[in-house]
């Protein structure tokens, strides 16, 4: 498992099942993003489909990590089509997204998945839709909680401009329950301003998908988050 230095903004790019983030294209996308992050003050996590974890894990450097987008609470055996946590580790993942808005699970399963991930030394990012859910899951001590208002996902209005007070509220509630858990924010993140505003509000980084994966030139977008264009 990689050790990501979290003092720098952490950029978690969720490839979802976008064509641009699948298979050989996923590998090329990771390379181009990594080229940017390696030369600047960013840590990069890519959350890819289970079929791409091994391929990506083989090529990434020490400041990039690959996460699974989900895993199932199953044990080795007869569970056709499910994602075995041990297989995620074996494929080379360093962490897992849990309870993404597009793959929700119950609070009970969230707790058990975090426990299982910890046992396997996988880092955990638990997605939540609001501050009360953040408080409810913070007690399980995940590494990160990602606040993503579902209605802003995939849009052009960023969570940091639409709901700044909710970010602050989430952070307060998380730290109350689990001081070591860090906050990420996501949904509609498209610009450097969105990233900066998120950090200013106390987040450790952002969880982003379409703003990077679907961009015409993803590396250029990531670069624009670091370097001001003249
Ligand atoms: O996991 C990140 C995601 O749900 C946010 O999506 O497209 O709004 O960046 P997007």
């Amino acid at each position: 498992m990689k050790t990501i230095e979290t003092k720098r903004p952490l950029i978690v790019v969720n490839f979802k099942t976008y064509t641009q983030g699948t298979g050989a294209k996923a590998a090329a996308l990771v390379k181009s993003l990594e080229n940017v992050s390696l030369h600047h003050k960013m840590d990069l996590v890519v959350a890819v489909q289970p079929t791409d974890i091994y391929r990506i894990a083989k090529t990434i450097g020490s400041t990039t990590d690959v996460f699974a987008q989900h895993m199932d609470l199953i044990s080795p055996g007869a569970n056709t089509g499910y994602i075995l946590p041990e297989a995620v580790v074996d494929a080379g993942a360093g962490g897992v997204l849990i309870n993404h808005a597009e793959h929700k699970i119950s609070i009970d399963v969230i707790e058990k998945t975090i426990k299982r991930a910890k046992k396997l030394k996988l880092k955990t990012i638990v997605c939540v839709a609001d501050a009360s859910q953040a408080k409810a899951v913070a007690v399980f001590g995940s590494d990160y909680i990602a606040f993503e208002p579902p209605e802003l996902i995939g849009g052009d209005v960023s969570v940091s401009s639409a709901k700044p007070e909710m970010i602050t509220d989430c952070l307060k509630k998380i730290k109350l329950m689990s001081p070591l858990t860090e906050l990420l924010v996501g949904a509609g993140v498209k610009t450097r301003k969105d990233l900066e505003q998120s950090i200013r509000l106390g987040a450790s980084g952002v969880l982003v998908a379409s703003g990077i994966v679907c961009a015409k030139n993803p590396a250029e977008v990531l670069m624009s988050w670091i370097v001001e264009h003249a």
Side-chain angles (χ1 to χ4, degrees):
M1 187 185 59
K2 304 269 164 62
T3 308
I4 293 290
E5 170 57 68
T6 54
K7 298 294 168 265
R8 319 188 284 184
L10 176 61
I11 312 294
V12 183
V13 185
N14 182 1
F15 285 21
K16 301 197 174 183
T17 56
Y18 288 118
T19 308
Q20 303 93 313
T22 301
K25 287 188 175 151
L29 180 53
V30 172
K31 267 291 137 231
S32 69
L33 296 178
E34 195 173 39
N35 274 339
V36 177
S37 70
L38 270 178
H39 294 101
H40 299 87
K41 291 181 174 133
M42 277 183 180
D43 285 317
L44 180 67
V45 165
V46 292
V48 303
Q49 295 168 61
T51 41
D52 289 324
I53 294 172
Y54 182 77
R55 180 201 295 259
I56 305 292
K58 280 274 172 230
T59 63
I60 50 176
S62 64
T63 58
T64 306
D65 208 350
V66 57
F67 277 33
Q69 295 177 1
H70 171 80
M71 66 186 194
D72 293 298
L73 277 181
I74 50 151
S75 302
N79 301 289
T80 305
Y82 289 85
I83 303 173
L84 179 69
E86 285 76 6
V88 163
V89 174
D90 193 57
V96 60
L97 282 187
I98 298 170
N99 193 47
H100 191 275
E102 291 148 15
H103 204 140
K104 284 201 216 153
I105 53 178
S106 68
I107 185 104
D108 176 51
V109 176
I110 292 174
E111 178 179 14
K112 289 184 177 139
T113 307
I114 293 170
K115 273 195 185 141
R116 183 80 168 269
K118 283 184 187 221
K119 234 185 194 164
L120 293 169
K121 301 200 183 336
L122 286 170
K123 294 260 182 200
T124 46
I125 299 176
V126 182
C127 301
V128 298
D130 55 41
S132 69
Q133 207 187 357
K135 187 177 177 190
V137 303
V139 71
F140 307 139
S142 58
D143 296 294
Y144 297 93
I145 288 179
F147 168 50
E148 292 202 315
E151 70 280 9
L152 298 179
I153 291 177
D156 284 325
V157 178
S158 122
V159 54
S160 58
S161 51
K163 307 207 180 240
E165 68 297 329
M166 281 191 72
I167 294 176
T168 318
D169 194 24
C170 270
L171 186 65
K172 214 167 66 199
K173 292 198 160 80
I174 291 167
K175 293 296 177 188
L176 211 63
M177 309 307 290
S178 177
L180 293 180
T181 298
E182 298 188 42
L183 174 70
L184 300 175
V185 296
V189 175
K190 294 280 186 296
T191 65
R192 173 187 171 140
K193 191 171 147 247
D194 298 335
L195 171 64
E196 283 179 342
Q197 170 79 340
S198 305
I199 301 293
R200 216 178 353 259
L201 291 166
S204 300
V206 291
L207 176 55
V208 54
S210 55
I212 297 277
V213 181
C214 302
K216 227 176 171 172
N217 188 334
E220 205 168 85
V221 172
L222 189 60
M223 178 74 94
S224 75
W225 291 5
I226 310 162
V227 182
E228 293 275 29
H229 287 304

